[in-house]
Amino acid sequence: MATTTKQDYYELLGVSRKAAQKEIRQAYRKLARKYQPDLNPGDKSSEEKFKQVQEAYDVLSDAKKRQMYDQFGFETPGSGGMPSGPEDGDVHFDFGGFDFGGGAGQAGGATSFRDLFSQFFRGGGAAVEAPSHAEAGSSLEYQIEISFWEAVRGTVKKLTISRLDTCTDCHGTGTVGQPQTCAACGGTGQVTQTSGKMRFNLTCPQCGGTGRTQNICRLCGGGGRVRRADTIEVRIPAGVQTGSRVRVAGRGNAGTGGESPGDLYIITDVQPHPFFDRRGDDIYTTVPITVTEAALGSKIEVPTIDGRSLLRVPPGTNSGQKLRLREKGVPSVRNPKLRGDQYVELQVMVPKPVDERVRELLKELEKIAPEDPRKDIFERAKS
């Protein structure tokens, strides 16, 4: 019996030979949706490709069949030296008289390993087993830009995100219609294949051992989920910073098989303010004062995120000195009852001697209260 050359199952699905079952399943679902005959009416090439993909998945999704395929493949040397006798599970081996080759010229109508596999996987069509593997939905992350004041006071943002949502046609099952008895196994979930002295009792590749088949949902292609644009309102709490993560429970990708959806995480990017310099929950500002205010002391009004606030400047204040306004900073995002502080750096503004009277007063001040602010500078430089 002559056989035709087939493409490697791993190549058909576009996965590596070490691919995990999850990767194989995802690749199959993607290709099954692409080549689904119902979605490509009259396209013989798509129908044939769908059958090939179905056949590859039926083998690689079953641990025993995949192990045999990995070991023997389509073309394998003859049976000489192969072990005989029962193996574990439902597969019984007696390799006597069984040809593992795939070439022409096989004796006496012997069946090749490749032919045996191909007998199991003819057909395909739209009838498939209901997805048995359920998995929780994955989480999503979106970064948004907010202003300084939105971060300080909190805000509500309306966002449109793209997410995988539960298919409305199949309600996430991937299949539609009432389950039918599998025609391949008669509802037993097992099929038996005999060739010479070798007998296979295998899980039915058509229904996956369930004994029941259903039709693939056309809307989601069997995946149970469809991509949709979702518009939601997200509350951004007061106190967030650049890099803060705001969690919106259950608004990530939907799960499959009834599993819970993932979460949505909003990553905030806070824009700087031209006057208020935020460092954690504290605010830093620079406020100018006159020489008189610095020398004699004064009470001045300074801007805070709450509005105007009174600040007492002690006598003899030098330029660069920092004063603290308690609890005038940003509310803590973790505990809104706590707030940071505001630190005010005072910058003494020296008057410009543009008027002769000002020049005379400054000279008189120098005579009355002579002072050398650099008298110790060289001694300190030597130490």
Side-chain angles (χ1 to χ4, degrees):
M1 179 186 297
T3 59
T4 58
T5 303
K6 288 193 175 184
Q7 186 177 350
D8 180 80
Y9 287 151
Y10 292 100
E11 293 179 0
L12 270 171
L13 298 182
V15 298
S16 69
R17 302 189 74 85
K18 295 182 179 180
Q21 283 298 320
K22 181 178 179 181
E23 184 179 353
I24 291 173
R25 183 171 57 258
Q26 290 174 340
Y28 161 69
R29 288 177 176 174
K30 180 179 179 181
L31 293 172
R33 286 193 294 268
K34 180 178 180 181
Y35 297 112
Q36 170 60 243
D38 290 343
L39 302 180
N40 300 274
D43 189 341
K44 295 296 183 182
S45 62
S46 291
E47 182 178 355
E48 182 60 29
K49 196 70 174 179
F50 181 84
K51 292 179 181 180
Q52 294 175 2
V53 168
Q54 179 72 48
E55 176 181 327
Y57 178 68
D58 286 339
V59 174
L60 299 185
S61 63
D62 186 286
K64 291 183 178 179
K65 286 184 281 185
R66 182 180 180 182
Q67 182 180 4
M68 292 179 66
Y69 176 74
D70 288 343
Q71 184 174 358
F72 302 120
F74 287 130
E75 303 291 340
T76 308
S79 59
M82 296 297 295
S84 61
E87 296 286 329
D88 294 335
D90 293 331
V91 182
H92 305 280
F93 295 95
D94 186 349
F95 295 111
F98 186 77
D99 182 11
F100 286 91
Q106 296 176 0
T111 304
S112 72
F113 183 76
R114 184 176 64 190
D115 291 338
L116 180 59
F117 265 61
S118 66
Q119 291 177 32
F120 278 107
F121 306 123
R122 291 194 181 101
V128 296
E129 59 181 292
S132 59
H133 182 78
E135 56 185 34
S138 57
S139 294
L140 297 175
E141 286 189 354
Y142 275 79
Q143 181 170 302
I144 63 171
E145 183 178 291
I146 60 176
S147 69
F148 171 85
W149 291 113
E150 288 175 327
V152 167
R153 297 168 178 165
T155 186
V156 175
K157 287 289 189 180
K158 180 178 286 188
L159 307 175
T160 299
I161 63 172
S162 176
R163 58 187 291 267
L164 290 175
D165 200 3
T166 301
C167 177
T168 55
D169 281 13
C170 67
H171 305 291
T173 64
T175 59
V176 293
Q178 293 298 319
Q180 304 294 324
T181 300
C182 177
C185 66
T188 65
Q190 295 285 317
V191 289
T192 301
Q193 178 68 32
T194 303
S195 178
K197 296 182 179 180
M198 183 173 181
R199 180 167 63 90
F200 284 93
N201 293 322
L202 301 175
T203 299
C204 177
Q206 190 69 15
C207 67
T210 64
R212 311 284 279 178
T213 59
Q214 286 182 271
N215 292 324
I216 289 178
C217 174
R218 292 188 179 187
L219 181 60
C220 65
R225 301 179 296 182
V226 292
R227 187 163 293 279
R228 289 196 178 99
D230 196 2
T231 300
I232 60 174
E233 288 189 346
V234 180
R235 188 184 71 83
I236 306 298
V240 296
Q241 306 179 48
T242 293
S244 293
R245 289 161 57 93
V246 179
R247 175 175 172 261
V248 185
R251 301 313 289 265
N253 288 326
T256 60
E259 289 293 319
S260 59
D263 297 327
L264 171 65
Y265 290 91
I266 304 300
I267 314 300
T268 54
D269 180 17
V270 181
Q271 299 304 291
H273 191 274
F275 181 76
F276 296 107
D277 178 18
R278 180 178 176 180
R279 305 175 192 175
D281 290 337
D282 294 328
I283 295 290
Y284 287 77
T285 56
T286 300
V287 176
I289 59 174
T290 66
V291 171
T292 305
E293 289 173 332
L296 302 179
S298 178
K299 290 182 179 180
I300 63 173
E301 284 187 330
V302 298
T304 71
I305 61 175
D306 298 323
R308 295 170 179 257
S309 185
L310 200 63
L311 177 68
R312 180 180 175 277
V313 179
T317 296
N318 292 316
S319 188
Q321 185 171 340
K322 290 184 177 68
L323 302 178
R324 181 171 66 171
L325 291 171
R326 294 181 182 274
E327 297 185 350
K328 289 296 183 180
V330 181
S332 171
V333 71
R334 295 184 178 180
N335 187 353
K337 295 181 180 180
L338 300 179
R339 292 186 62 170
D341 299 325
Q342 178 172 335
Y343 293 88
V344 180
E345 181 179 335
L346 299 174
Q347 186 178 19
V348 179
M349 305 301 293
V350 179
K352 296 180 180 180
V354 294
D355 184 89
E356 186 62 29
R357 176 62 177 160
V358 173
R359 294 171 63 89
E360 291 177 358
L361 289 174
L362 290 175
K363 289 180 179 180
E364 185 176 348
L365 176 63
E366 187 178 14
K367 292 178 181 179
I368 297 174
E371 186 175 354
D372 184 4
R374 298 179 298 280
K375 64 180 179 180
D376 299 328
I377 189 172
F378 293 104
E379 292 299 324
R380 287 187 286 124
K382 293 179 181 179
S383 60

